[in-house]
Amino acid sequence: MSKRLRNTELCADCNVPEPRWASVNRGVLVCDECCSVHRSLGRHSSQVRHLTHTPWPPTQLQMVQTLYSNGSNSIWEHSLLDPASVMSGKRKANPQDKLHPNKSEFIRAKYQMLAFVHRMPCREDDSSTAKDLSKQLHSSVRTGNLETCLRLLSLGAQANFFNPERGNSPLHVAAKAGQVSQAELLTVYGADPGAPDSNGKTPIDYAREAGQHDLADRLVEIQYELTDRLAFYLCGRKPDHKNSQHFIVPQMADSSLDLSELAKAAKKKLQSLSNHLFEELAMDVYDEVDRRETDAVWLATQNHSTLVTETTVVPFLPVNPEYSSTRNQGRQKLARFNAHEFATLVIDILSDAKRRQQGNSVASPKDNIELILKSVAIRHCSDSQDNDQPDYDSVASDEDTDPELNSSKGDRTKSLDSDLSDSPITMQEYLEVKHALSASEAKIQKLMKANNNLSDELRLMQKKASRFEKQSSMPESDYDNTFYDSELEDSGLCRRGRLRSSGWLGEGSSIPELDGLETESDPTLPSTEDVIRKTEQITKNIQELLRAAQENKHDSFIPCSERIYVAVTEMAALFPKRPRSETVRSSLRLLTSSAYRLQGECRKAVPSEGCPRPDMQLVTQQVIQCAYDIAKAAKQLVTITTKENTN
């Protein structure tokens, strides 16, 4: 579709003709003046792009223009369309109104406060309302009615909703139906192209099966949206995803000049960030890239015969109320970086994103000279300067900041089970091994049959495990990079658009002491009897956790997870610290990192004061997935030690 506008189009906020900007997540077109207010709201409220001076994915532009031409603005001005609103004095801005305060106050009320959006009748159970809306969204995306889906999203439908009856998400449905614009809208609101359905297939898989190859390629691009945008900002190029090139890491021309200890320390500090904090930093740098690029477009498109006042300038990232004050301070400090400093930070983020995806261990600074953070940018990431404001490496997460507790569901490596991938590890195998080790199969079978819903979740885990097994032999595959955390608990348009991590976070980054040990001699492995004894302890504690899940005793999740963690630690201690076998290392890595993740997921079951109520169905699903991964790893270690000790 051509980017050129028709003369009949008007600004959605003040009716000025021929608007030149679009708000992607709101599906509206706006004029220059109104756009300046949109920008000051922040991307979490409005994601603006210039219609002709900003590069657009063609299908995303098509989506926005379709929404606007089909009345998307009526969603945000619903109550203003009521004749009674005229009597009450409510009205939208008009072209003659001043930017400040008239237009700006109206725009903030419209998009930040959602003051004119249709309100659902009050119900005691808000989670049920969101679930009902999400099910409607799930059904609607198979059609071409974009405006209906945007309306559902505005009311609180979740783009990443997993339909337990259908075993998939709205994006799976849209991809299978070839609904390109629906897929674009869902991904703007955080839908994950790499999330598996109950058959282990992703929306990308369904698009390819349906012959929608352009859509499949676009979904792959969306998975790597964040790192692609950072690379394009620096060098004007994007990776060739069709040929499995998923990262471009530019280099500075003077990359070998700065080898200071401060530079090395700053580089190491960035690499040592937990996966959760690294993701937050990368997302914030993405927002800063967007602010800088939009600033450049803004200045290039203004009529410079008219004074551009300070009221239209966005000097740093606006405050996002969903973030802690510490994180907002760190975000605003990014504006202080000059071009060289900011470029070095972006390069290091790209480098570390690639490392985390591939599961590589942290290399020493001398091995990565060309990618070391340099100049003043280093100080912004260190504790040695500007201590009056928190620095980014010490940003406090709104959730638990233990290094690995917040690892996402996407924390997988391609080689986790490379030596054991002759066939998928099935739930039946898992149960058989448990029977041989602890004679408790009958008890677990009875427990799982006692609750059909829990059994459904376990079958879903089995299919996911098969998918992860297949990924280990597919270099070009796209990782499961869903980050649930608080994202799926957000409702409506107050949630931020999901920036994908492109599966950066490999298992290898969580257990660094198990990496890079190919040349070590292999000390004696523990006896099979000792491994079985510890596995029995793990199995017993997993039984208790499954029973708590079946009986909805969510308060028991944390103590159960702590007992499992202790048992896992004791089992891992049986093995040499530096095993030679990649199979042993992979199994130990899966065992210990899954125990870390299990603790993090179980903590979500206990709501914190002032935080949204967690989706317990989702939390339980993730808890069971982690427990299954632990049992799977224990089974692998028993198999390995039995084989080695027999030989």
Side-chain angles (χ1 to χ4, degrees), residues 137-181:
L137 177 68
H138 189 278
S139 299
S140 298
V141 294
R142 71 182 71 252
T143 73
N145 196 333
L146 276 178
E147 193 264 347
T148 296
C149 293
L150 180 59
R151 189 179 301 277
L152 290 168
L153 289 164
S154 76
L155 294 173
Q158 297 175 347
N160 260 324
F161 171 72
F162 187 88
N163 189 317
E165 290 83 17
R166 302 292 183 180
N168 58 14
S169 71
L171 189 54
H172 287 96
V173 176
K176 188 174 183 179
Q179 292 290 346
V180 179
S181 291

Side-chain angles (χ1 to χ4, degrees), residues 1-6 51-52 61-62 65:
M1 174 178 287
S2 171
K3 296 180 183 179
R4 191 170 301 280
L5 298 175
R6 299 186 303 273
L51 286 164
T52 56
L61 179 62
Q62 170 85 51
Q65 293 184 322

Side-chain angles (χ1 to χ4, degrees), residues 1 8 18 41 168 172 210 243 257 303 311 322 335 343 390 441 448 455 466 475 496 514 525 562 577 608 611 638:
M1 174 178 287
T8 56
E18 300 186 25
L41 301 180
N168 58 14
H172 287 96
N243 290 318
L257 299 182
N303 180 0
T311 56
E322 295 180 20
E441 178 183 8
M448 288 191 292
S455 296
S466 299
R496 61 185 181 272
L514 296 178
L525 293 176
E562 291 174 348
K577 186 175 181 181
S608 301
C611 294
V638 170

Side-chain angles (χ1 to χ4, degrees), residues 104-320:
S104 61
E105 289 183 357
F106 171 74
I107 292 169
R108 290 183 183 279
K110 180 177 175 180
Y111 299 111
Q112 202 169 53
M113 308 304 295
L114 302 180
F116 314 121
V117 171
H118 172 65
R119 302 293 180 184
M120 295 292 290
C122 292
R123 293 175 55 174
E124 292 184 2
D125 191 351
D126 290 340
S127 62
S128 296
T129 301
K131 187 174 182 180
D132 291 343
L133 291 167
S134 299
K135 286 186 175 181
Q136 292 180 49
L137 177 68
H138 189 278
S139 299
S140 298
V141 294
R142 71 182 71 252
T143 73
N145 196 333
L146 276 178
E147 193 264 347
T148 296
C149 293
L150 180 59
R151 189 179 301 277
L152 290 168
L153 289 164
S154 76
L155 294 173
Q158 297 175 347
N160 260 324
F161 171 72
F162 187 88
N163 189 317
E165 290 83 17
R166 302 292 183 180
N168 58 14
S169 71
L171 189 54
H172 287 96
V173 176
K176 188 174 183 179
Q179 292 290 346
V180 179
S181 291
Q182 294 282 23
E184 286 284 357
L185 178 62
L186 289 168
T187 54
V188 164
Y189 278 86
D192 176 20
D197 67 357
S198 57
N199 294 316
K201 293 183 178 181
T202 69
I204 298 171
D205 295 330
Y206 281 108
R208 295 205 190 283
E209 289 178 4
Q212 299 286 334
H213 298 294
D214 288 343
L215 173 57
D217 292 341
R218 172 65 182 140
L219 291 173
V220 172
E221 289 179 1
I222 291 170
Q223 275 201 304
Y224 290 90
E225 172 190 357
L226 194 153
T227 48
D228 283 4
R229 178 80 177 271
L230 298 189
F232 191 81
Y233 171 75
L234 290 183
C235 64
R237 294 189 298 121
K238 291 185 178 180
D240 184 2
H241 297 295
K242 290 183 179 180
N243 290 318
S244 300
Q245 180 198 17
H246 297 311
F247 291 92
I248 291 178
V249 183
Q251 296 184 11
M252 300 291 286
D254 59 347
S255 59
S256 62
L257 299 182
D258 189 348
L259 302 179
S260 68
E261 290 303 314
L262 186 59
K264 296 175 184 178
K267 175 74 172 180
K268 186 175 181 180
K269 187 167 287 189
L270 177 69
Q271 292 176 331
S272 66
L273 285 177
S274 70
N275 290 335
H276 184 72
L277 290 181
F278 178 76
E279 183 207 354
E280 286 187 349
L281 173 59
M283 290 169 63
D284 294 345
V285 169
Y286 177 102
D287 285 352
E288 176 65 13
V289 165
D290 181 83
R291 186 193 69 83
R292 294 185 181 212
E293 289 187 332
T294 306
D295 263 348
V297 173
W298 177 266
L299 292 173
T301 56
Q302 295 308 295
N303 180 0
H304 292 284
S305 63
T306 303
L307 178 65
V308 179
T309 65
E310 292 183 0
T311 56
T312 65
V313 174
V314 182
F316 46 74
L317 289 176
V319 171
N320 185 335

